[in-house]
Amino acid sequence: MTQTIQPTPEAKIVEGSDGLLLEIDGHIVPNYDATFAPFEEGEVVSGRVVRIDNDEVLVDIGYKSEGVIPSNELSIRKNVDPHDEVELGEEVDALVLTKEDQDGRLIMSKKRARFEKAWRNIEAAAESGQPVTGTVIEVVKGGLIVDLGVRGFLPASLVDIRRVPNLDEYMGQPIECKVIELNRSRNNVVLSRRAVLEEERKEQRQEILDRLQPGLVVEGVISNIVDFGAFVDLNGIDGLIHISELSWSHVNHPSEILNIGDTVQVKVLDIDRDRQRISLGLKQTQEDPWQRVVDTYNVGDELEGTVTKVVTFGAFVEILDGVEGLVHISELAAHHVENPREVVQPGDVVRVKILEIDSERRRLSLSIKRVEGQILPSEIRAREAGLPAPGEGAGAGDLDDVPELGLSEDVFAGGDAPDAEVSAEAPPAEVDEAEAAIEESGLPIEAAGDAVEAEAEAAPQPDPAPEDEAAAPPDPEDEAAAEAPDAPDAEPQA
C-alpha cells in the first residue's frame, strides 16, 4: 500500500507512477515519502534487526530512519543482554512508542509488542480453557514468575500435584499451565501447572485402575508419608499402604522404614474402583516370619524373646523379627501380679515357654513363670537395688496345669495386630458402633483394626479394667482424612 502525498504547487505526481515519481520544475524525481509504510504511535510494526549494541538494537522497518529499541524495552526480564534477545537479520515485531524523540529517533518496544500479542493469546486461552506455555524466569517468595510475554505468577502450591521442596529446579524450564485468574487492568495473570497435570492424570488413572487386579505385585515410588501409612505413586494414581501393612514386625511410624522417593514393590490388596482407591501391602512381598514359627516350634518349646509392650492384661514378647506372643498376666510369675509392670518392662530379655499356637489366627500364647530356673526381671532389679524380690524362689510349672485362658478368643479379640491393648468383650453398643465405623472406613478390616488400636493407645487411658473388657475401634478414615495429601488424587486409597 502506498501513501498518497499531496504535492506542492511546484511538484506534480507523474501519471502512471502510483505516486512514486514527482515532476518538479520539469524534472522527474523519486517520491521517497511514498515508499514509507504508514504507521502511528501505539501501532505494532515489523522490521529486521540491522545492528545490536550493548544498550540498544536498531531495526529497519522501511522508514526514513531505523527504529531504536532500548535494551530495557527488549524483554520483560530484568537486566537482559541485547545479544541474548535478538540476532542480526532476525524479523521482530515492535510497538511504536514515539515517531520522533528529542534526538529525532524513532523509539520502539519489542516487549510491549509481545505484551499486546501475549494478552490476546492469554485471554483466548483463559476463555477456552486451553493451556499456555512459558519459561520460568524468576523464583520469588511463594512461587514462580513465568514469561508468557506477560509476567505470569505460578503459586508454589500449584506447581505440581504435590508440594515441591525446591522451586529452583524449575528455573529456565519451559512449562505448560492453565490460566486461572486474569486482570488486564492490573496486568495480573495467575497460572496453575497442577491443573494441567491433573487433567493428564485423569486418563492415566482410569487406565491404571482397569489394569490393576488384587494380588498383583507392582512397582511404585513413595510419594508421601503420614502417621497412618505411606502413599505410593503407581505412575499416575496413588495407593495407600496402611501402617499395619508395612512390615510383619511392629512399626511405630512409617518413616522408620520408608523415605519419600523410595522405589518399592507392593502387592495390590484391594481396589475400590468407584472411589478410585487402592489398598496396597508392602509386607506381603516379604517373607512371612509367622511361617517360621509354624515350621520350627511346638507347644512346650522354650526360647528367648524381648518384651515389646506391657499392657493391663499382660505383656507382649517378640520371639522372632515380626512375631510377637502374649504372656497373659496370670503367666508372668508364680506369685499374684496386680500390675504386669511389677514384673517386666519393655526391653527386658526373658525366656518363655510356648503354651498355644493358633496358626489360623496367627496368635501365640506364652508363659514366663513356667520356664524352669527363670529369674524374673523384677527380681534382678530388686537385687540390684538391695530390696527383697517378690516371689523369689517360685518354681517353674509344666503344661499339665495350664489354666483355660481362652487366649485365642478373649485376649486377642478386637484386632489382628498382636501389639494392641485389647480384651475379651465390649458392650454391645460399642461393638455395633465399631463394626459400623470399620465398614464405613472402606479400609480392609485388618487395616481398620490396627488404626483403631493405634488411636486407642494414644487416647488417655482409664484406670485398669478387668481383663475381659475391650474398647470398640474408631474409624481410621477420619485419621486418614485429617492428614491426606493436598492433591485431589492423593487421598487415602483404601
Side-chain angles (χ1 to χ4, degrees):
M1 176 181 176
T2 59
Q3 183 176 16
T4 302
I5 305 295
Q6 293 296 329
T8 64
E10 297 80 11
K12 294 181 180 180
I13 297 175
V14 176
E15 187 176 352
S17 68
D18 291 332
L20 297 176
L21 298 175
L22 296 176
E23 181 182 345
I24 301 176
D25 294 334
H27 298 285
I28 304 299
V29 296
N31 183 6
Y32 292 110
D33 288 344
T35 64
F36 302 147
F39 60 85
E40 300 295 333
E41 292 180 356
E43 292 186 17
V44 175
V45 297
S46 297
R48 180 173 55 88
V49 176
V50 295
R51 180 174 169 178
I52 303 175
D53 293 331
N54 291 329
D55 58 352
E56 64 184 20
V57 172
L58 299 186
V59 180
D60 179 9
I61 64 168
Y63 194 53
K64 59 185 177 181
S65 62
E66 285 87 5
V68 179
I69 305 178
S71 59
N72 64 349
E73 293 294 336
L74 283 170
S75 171
I76 62 174
R77 310 183 192 205
K78 300 176 182 178
N79 304 320
V80 298
D81 184 344
H83 295 83
D84 295 335
E85 292 298 317
V86 293
E87 297 178 355
L88 281 175
E90 180 183 350
E91 291 286 334
V92 297
D93 292 332
L95 183 138
V96 178
L97 298 179
T98 178
K99 294 181 73 170
E100 190 173 328
D101 69 355
Q102 59 186 8
D103 297 323
R105 302 184 305 169
L106 170 63
I107 306 300
M108 304 189 300
S109 171
K110 177 176 177 285
K111 74 176 183 182
R112 300 192 196 197
R114 186 165 176 250
F115 181 89
E116 291 298 323
K117 184 178 180 180
W119 264 111
R120 291 194 293 271
N121 293 338
I122 291 170
E123 288 171 341
E127 184 174 347
S128 66
Q130 293 298 311
V132 293
T133 302
T135 302
V136 177
I137 57 174
E138 286 183 48
V139 177
V140 296
K141 183 178 180 180
L144 302 172
I145 299 298
V146 181
D147 180 6
L148 301 168
V150 176
R151 288 170 67 88
F153 177 62
L154 176 56
S157 61
L158 300 179
V159 171
D160 206 332
I161 290 177
R162 299 179 183 82
R163 185 181 66 87
V164 177
N166 181 19
L167 292 175
D168 290 332
E169 64 189 41
Y170 289 91
M171 189 66 184
Q173 299 295 317
I175 57 175
E176 195 174 46
C177 305
K178 281 197 172 183
V179 180
I180 60 174
E181 187 177 327
L182 195 62
N183 189 322
R184 176 68 186 266
S185 62
R186 298 173 58 188
N187 288 335
N188 186 26
V189 180
V190 181
L191 307 170
S192 171
R193 179 171 175 264
R194 175 176 171 175
V196 174
L197 297 177
E198 287 176 348
E199 193 168 292
E200 291 175 351
R201 282 198 166 196
K202 190 176 295 183
E203 295 181 3
Q204 296 176 359
R205 186 182 299 118
Q206 190 58 51
E207 291 177 1
I208 294 170
L209 281 172
D210 293 341
R211 186 174 68 248
L212 290 180
Q213 296 295 333
L216 283 180
V217 175
V218 294
E219 184 175 273
V221 177
I222 301 299
S223 59
N224 197 17
I225 294 177
V226 290
D227 291 342
F228 53 84
F231 289 94
V232 182
D233 183 356
L234 301 177
N235 195 30
I237 187 171
D238 276 4
L240 172 65
I241 310 175
H242 191 268
I243 189 170
S244 63
E245 304 296 342
L246 288 172
S247 174
W248 294 109
S249 58
H250 177 70
V251 177
N252 291 312
H253 194 274
S255 60
E256 294 176 0
I257 58 176
L258 293 174
N259 296 299
I260 293 177
D262 287 352
T263 299
V264 293
Q265 295 286 327
V266 291
K267 187 172 185 178
V268 180
L269 303 182
D270 188 34
I271 302 176
D272 185 337
R273 301 186 188 278
D274 293 335
R275 303 170 70 187
Q276 294 194 339
R277 293 186 174 183
I278 305 172
S279 178
L280 304 172
L282 179 62
K283 70 182 183 183
Q284 286 80 3
T285 64
Q286 305 162 353
E287 181 187 4
D288 183 357
W290 178 259
Q291 192 60 42
R292 291 171 55 197
V293 174
V294 175
D295 296 341
T296 308
Y297 299 107
N298 298 298
V299 172
D301 288 351
E302 295 182 5
L303 60 160
E304 190 174 85
T306 302
V307 177
T308 58
K309 182 180 293 185
V310 180
V311 291
T312 56
F313 51 82
F316 289 98
V317 177
E318 185 177 55
I319 61 169
L320 292 173
D321 287 341
V323 178
E324 293 179 341
L326 173 67
V327 180
H328 191 265
I329 188 172
S330 62
E331 293 294 328
L332 285 172
H335 61 276
H336 177 70
V337 178
E338 288 286 345
N339 186 342
R341 293 184 181 274
E342 298 172 2
V343 180
V344 292
Q345 298 288 341
D348 286 345
V349 177
V350 295
R351 289 195 62 79
V352 293
K353 178 175 285 190
I354 299 176
L355 300 184
E356 181 183 350
I357 299 175
D358 187 342
S359 57
E360 289 186 3
R361 305 186 66 185
R362 304 168 68 91
R363 306 250 172 95
L364 192 64
S365 302
L366 308 172
S367 173
I368 290 178
K369 75 177 185 180
R370 297 178 186 279
V371 176
E372 189 171 352
Q374 177 87 268
I375 300 178
L376 300 176
S378 59
E379 296 174 357
I380 297 174
R381 283 188 281 270
R383 290 174 183 176
E384 291 175 349
L387 300 174
E392 186 171 6
D398 55 36
L399 297 179
D400 294 335
D401 59 346
V402 175
E404 179 57 48
L405 299 175
L407 296 182
S408 294
E409 298 299 327
D410 296 341
V411 175
F412 290 102
D416 290 336
D419 58 344
E421 180 174 344
V422 292
S423 52
E425 297 180 359
E430 294 184 8
V431 172
D432 293 341
E433 181 181 347
E435 291 177 349
I438 292 175
E439 175 66 24
E440 183 181 352
S441 73
L443 289 170
I445 294 178
E446 296 84 354
D450 285 340
V452 166
E453 293 161 354
E455 186 171 323
E457 291 175 20
Q461 297 295 321
D463 293 334
E467 297 167 10
D468 60 350
E469 293 183 359
D475 186 353
E477 187 169 2
D478 294 339
E479 179 185 22
E483 302 195 45
D486 293 336
D489 68 337
E491 58 187 347
Q493 311 292 321

